[in-house]
Structures are given as C-alpha cells and as structure tokens.
Amino acid sequence: MPDRHIVKSYDRDLEAIQALIMKMGGMVETAILEASQSLENRDEELAERVRANDSAVDELEERVNEEAARMLALRQPSAGDLRTVLTVMKISANLERVGDYAKNMAKRTGVLLQMAPIDGSSGAIRRMSMAVGGMLKDALDAYIQRDAELAEDVRLRDHEVDQMYNALFREFLTFMMEDPRNITACMHLHFIAKNIERMGDHVTSIAEQVIYLVTGEMPEDDRPKADRTAIEAPKV
Amino acid sequence: MPDRHIVKSYDRDLEAIQALIMKMGGMVETAILEASQSLENRDEELAERVRANDSAVDELEERVNEEAARMLALRQPSAGDLRTVLTVMKISANLERVGDYAKNMAKRTGVLLQMAPIDGSSGAIRRMSMAVGGMLKDALDAYIQRDAELAEDVRLRDHEVDQMYNALFREFLTFMMEDPRNITACMHLHFIAKNIERMGDHVTSIAEQVIYLVTGEMPEDDRPKADRTAIEAPKV
C-alpha cells in the first residue's frame, strides 16, 4: 500500500510543522506579554530578555519554511494539502512579524526607562497587549481545531484593539501639548501603541488564513477600518 | 518528448508570474513617488488616487498567489524551480506591504493638508521616498537579471534611508518642542517617515530574496541596524 504510506508520512510531516508553529506561537505570545510587563514594572532585565529571545522565533520561522519547502518538493501534495502547507508558511511569517514588533517594543522600553514615566500609559499599553495576546492564542487554537467561527471572532476583536490605539493616540497628543517635556517619551510610547495595533493586524491575518483554510474563501473585508487617526484629524 | 513539454510550460507559467510581479512593482513604485508628491504639492486629488489604486496591487498579489499555487500543484517543480516559485510569492507579499504603506501615507496626507505645513518636511520626505523608489526599481531589476551584486547594493543602501529617518525623527521632536501647535502635524509626518523607513525594510527583504535565489544562501545580517531611535534616546 504505497499510497497509504505516502499519506501517512505526509500527515506526520504536517504534524511536525504544526508543532513548530505552536511552539513559535507560544514564544510570541510570551514575548508580547513580557514586553508590556517590562514597561509597566520598569524591568530592564526582562526587556533585555525579550529582545534576546526573538532570534529563537526567527530560527523557528526558517525551520518552518525549510520543512514546508521540503514537503512541497517531496510529497507533491494535492490541492487541499497544498493549501494547508502554504497557509502554514503564511502563519509563520505573520508570527515572525509579531515577534519582531514585540522585540521593538522591548527595545523602546529600554529607552523609556531613562525618562520619567507618563501617567497611566503603561497600564493602557498592557491592556492592549493582553487583548492582542488573547487574540493570538485564539487564532492558533482556531487553526488547530479548524474552527472558522473562532477565527471570525478573533477578526472582529481586532476592532477593540484599534479603538484602544485611537484612544491612546489622542491621550499622547494631549500629554505632549500640556508639557513639552513629555514629547520624547510620548513619541516612543506612541510607537509602542502603534506596534501593538500592527500586531493585532497580523493576528487578524492569521485568523483570515484559518477562515480561508476551512471555508476555501477569504472573508469579505467588512471589518471596521483599523487606524482612524489616518483618516480623521484627532480632536484634542 | 513529454519532459521537454513540461519544462516549456513551466517556463511559460513562471514568465507569466514574473510579468505580474513586474507590473505590481511598477505600480508600487509609482504609488511611493505619487504619495510623496501629493504631500509636497498639497495635492489632495493625487493622494486620493494613490489610495484608490492600492486595491489593484492587492488583486495582483492574489493573482500571483493563485498562479504560484497552481504551478506547485500541477508542475511538481524541482528543488531549484520550487525555490523560484516560493521566492516569487515572498516578493509579491513584500510588494503588497510596500503598496499598503504608500496607501497609508496618502491617507495621512489627506489629514495633513488640513493643517499648516511644517517647514522643509515634505521635501525631506520626498527625498526619502525617492531613495526607496530607486531601491525598489533596482531590487526588481536584480531579480529579473538574477544579479546578486545589485541586490547586495540595494541592501546596503537601506542604511541611508534609515539615516534619513533618524534625522527626521530628531527634527520633528525639535519642531514639537518649539511650538506645541506643531505637535499634531509632526505626529502624522513622523508616521509617514516611519512608513517609508519600513518600505525600505521590505525592499531590502526583496533584495535578500534575490541573493538567496542566486547564491542559495541568505545574506548574513551584518547590515547596520535600522531604526536607532529605538535603542538610543535622541539628543535634542
């Protein structure tokens, strides 16, 4: 039964890649949460650790790409299996980007710890990070369980992250106008907030891949639009 | 000669995909330049056009993905050909992201045109855009000609874009500190500058794909590090 043999080793290969994706996902989730923790607790050591850990995520992405390319070359997957392998590659690329944003956030935390803290900002940033971390966890669960409904829920939750970002943008503007000594810190904090908002976009993209994998169709782009600060001047 | 027949249709398929990539590249290059032009000339109509044109880029990316998946499924490419197809998919993903940044830039231009201009900023942003546009053109030329040397040159030029960004970051901080009425406009301008810097990163990633395609190895990450504002507090 050579066919069955091929099918089985294909499944085994795919499971091995999925295990890498899950490992990557766990590491990236930790990075998001620890990056915001390091900011809130003014913990430079933790920020340093988040920065250092990112190379392990990058390595995992490379391994996923290599394994996926090997599968494509050796197993000549059918249309459905091919879609799965390509999805896996896209998901790992998105995870790598989210990890990168967490690393950048930790880098900026190092800079921010040299300045006076801005009232209430680190709590708001931690809340945003937790929202994105939760979305990421659910997006990966949705992938493993091939659960399009859960993936759709993740996609809709990105709107809340966008709203948190928009509120923070206005808050930072106000702080800067009140006291020019806040400007440098607020510029960095704003970057961090924008990075988390972008993480949310990448997680949404993972959720959309899951929907595509399960239903065969990409979701319509009826999601409320991301960053309102780009299309309306904030009223401060 | 069935083998030869397969090889020929493979080449034809690949050429068709490469033509799509070139078309995408041309559109994205135009978008970068027109977005900065619309800001400099305070041309709202042009900004609107850049925003509207981005969906055509997105459609091209989808077509590249579909064609590439079809090739993988039908042609069972060899290791080298597989690498080419996967590279093409990555290049189109990068182009789509650059196009997205140009669209965001044009959106923000719409907002900025409602405010008083900030001295000298739009010229500096146009220069950054032109540098990235030139890098993009050369990265795609390097791809078509399989020219690893030209790709390496593109990769090194990204450092200049990073320096332009760092200089602008400091300039915007100064403007904001001098007069709080500049804060909102400078926040948007800073976003635009950061988006162009990110475009440069994506173009660099295209150049790295070309190097990988030609030499079989990704370049060592010895490139001078991107955004210095994240690791050292700017001295203003």
Side-chain angles (χ1 to χ4, degrees):
Chain A
M1 291 179 292
D3 270 343
R4 199 180 215 179
H5 176 73
I6 288 176
V7 170
K8 272 196 179 158
S9 48
Y10 170 84
D11 285 346
R12 215 165 34 230
D13 282 2
L14 190 61
E15 265 169 36
I17 296 188
Q18 292 194 158
L20 291 177
I21 292 274
M22 286 304 120
K23 193 172 167 191
M24 245 183 121
M27 288 169 76
V28 170
E29 204 189 321
T30 304
I32 299 173
L33 300 180
E34 289 189 345
S36 69
Q37 244 173 49
S38 72
L39 180 64
E40 192 168 26
N41 305 335
R42 300 182 76 80
D43 183 344
E44 190 145 15
E45 230 170 87
L46 184 58
E48 181 50 51
R49 207 152 61 233
V50 172
R51 288 157 63 168
N53 287 344
D54 188 54
S55 58
V57 174
D58 294 350
E59 275 165 31
L60 276 174
E61 194 215 356
E62 249 177 69
R63 271 188 62 197
V64 169
N65 274 327
E66 280 164 16
E67 292 294 316
R70 209 176 53 83
M71 271 186 82
L72 291 177
L74 295 181
R75 307 257 178 254
Q76 305 159 2
S78 66
D81 291 339
L82 176 64
R83 199 199 283 167
T84 307
V85 176
L86 295 177
T87 302
V88 159
M89 293 176 85
K90 286 195 178 160
I91 291 179
S92 78
N94 277 304
L95 285 175
E96 190 272 333
R97 295 301 304 270
V98 175
D100 234 32
Y101 282 126
K103 181 184 71 178
N104 285 342
M105 191 171 154
K107 273 190 195 168
R108 262 172 220 283
T109 294
V111 181
L112 276 164
L113 297 188
Q114 300 162 33
M115 305 172 192
I118 303 287
D119 267 359
S121 62
S122 63
I125 281 176
R126 186 180 41 77
R127 281 189 295 279
M128 260 186 99
S129 297
M130 284 178 67
V132 172
M135 281 169 62
L136 176 58
K137 197 186 157 300
D138 287 347
L140 293 174
D141 280 352
Y143 169 69
I144 288 295
Q145 293 154 24
R146 301 291 190 272
D147 184 342
E149 217 167 297
L150 181 56
E152 180 62 28
D153 179 58
V154 169
R155 212 169 78 89
L156 294 176
R157 269 148 66 195
D158 191 41
H159 182 48
E160 290 163 35
V161 175
D162 294 342
Q163 284 176 329
M164 290 179 185
Y165 164 73
N166 290 339
L168 266 175
F169 180 81
R170 281 163 180 71
E171 210 176 303
F172 291 144
L173 280 183
T174 315
F175 274 122
M176 290 194 278
M177 287 175 184
E178 273 171 15
D179 186 347
R181 283 170 301 178
N182 291 330
I183 287 177
T184 307
C186 280
M187 288 283 275
H188 288 292
L189 284 166
H190 171 239
F191 247 136
I192 288 179
K194 185 71 192 171
N195 277 353
I196 302 172
E197 191 258 335
R198 285 218 172 91
M199 288 181 197
D201 290 345
H202 283 281
V203 174
T204 301
S205 165
I206 293 176
E208 287 173 348
Q209 289 295 325
V210 173
I211 293 171
Y212 174 67
L213 190 62
V214 178
T215 67
E217 272 175 42
M218 284 299 268
E220 292 282 319
D221 200 2
D222 53 3
R223 199 166 62 90
K225 228 19 207 165
D227 172 359
R228 303 288 307 172
T229 66
I231 35 181
E232 53 185 31
K235 287 150 199 89
V236 283
Chain B
M1 294 177 290
D3 270 342
R4 199 179 216 179
H5 176 72
I6 287 176
V7 170
K8 271 195 179 158
S9 47
Y10 169 85
D11 285 345
R12 212 162 39 228
D13 282 2
L14 189 62
E15 265 170 36
I17 296 188
Q18 292 195 156
L20 290 177
I21 292 273
M22 287 304 121
K23 193 172 168 192
M24 244 183 121
M27 288 169 74
V28 170
E29 203 189 322
T30 304
I32 299 173
L33 300 180
E34 288 188 345
S36 69
Q37 243 174 49
S38 71
L39 179 65
E40 191 167 28
N41 304 336
R42 300 183 75 79
D43 183 342
E44 190 146 14
E45 229 169 90
L46 184 58
E48 180 52 51
R49 206 152 62 233
V50 173
R51 288 157 62 169
N53 285 346
D54 187 55
S55 57
V57 174
D58 294 349
E59 274 164 34
L60 276 174
E61 194 215 357
E62 250 176 68
R63 272 187 62 196
V64 168
N65 274 328
E66 280 164 16
E67 292 294 316
R70 207 176 54 83
M71 272 186 81
L72 291 177
L74 296 181
R75 307 257 177 253
Q76 305 158 1
S78 66
D81 290 339
L82 177 63
R83 198 200 283 169
T84 308
V85 176
L86 295 178
T87 302
V88 159
M89 293 176 85
K90 286 195 178 161
I91 291 178
S92 79
N94 277 304
L95 285 175
E96 190 271 333
R97 296 301 304 269
V98 175
D100 234 33
Y101 283 126
K103 181 184 73 178
N104 286 341
M105 190 172 154
K107 273 191 195 168
R108 261 172 220 283
T109 295
V111 180
L112 276 164
L113 296 188
Q114 299 160 34
M115 305 172 193
I118 303 287
D119 266 358
S121 61
S122 63
I125 280 176
R126 185 179 42 76
R127 281 189 295 278
M128 258 185 101
S129 298
M130 284 178 68
V132 172
M135 281 168 63
L136 177 58
K137 197 187 158 299
D138 287 347
L140 293 174
D141 280 353
Y143 169 71
I144 288 295
Q145 293 155 25
R146 301 291 190 271
D147 184 342
E149 217 166 299
L150 182 56
E152 181 62 28
D153 179 59
V154 169
R155 211 168 80 88
L156 295 175
R157 269 149 65 196
D158 191 40
H159 182 48
E160 289 163 37
V161 175
D162 294 342
Q163 285 177 328
M164 289 180 186
Y165 164 74
N166 290 339
L168 266 175
F169 181 81
R170 282 162 178 70
E171 209 176 304
F172 291 145
L173 280 183
T174 314
F175 274 122
M176 290 195 278
M177 287 175 183
E178 273 171 15
D179 186 346
R181 283 169 301 178
N182 291 331
I183 288 177
T184 307
C186 280
M187 288 283 276
H188 289 292
L189 283 166
H190 171 238
F191 247 135
I192 288 178
K194 184 71 192 171
N195 278 353
I196 301 172
E197 190 259 336
R198 286 220 171 91
M199 288 180 197
D201 290 344
H202 283 281
V203 174
T204 301
S205 166
I206 293 176
E208 288 173 347
Q209 289 296 324
V210 173
I211 293 171
Y212 174 66
L213 191 62
V214 178
T215 68
E217 273 175 42
M218 284 298 268
E220 292 282 319
D221 200 2
D222 52 4
R223 199 166 61 90
K225 233 6 211 177
D227 173 359
R228 302 287 308 170
T229 66
I231 35 182
E232 51 186 33
K235 289 152 199 85
V236 283

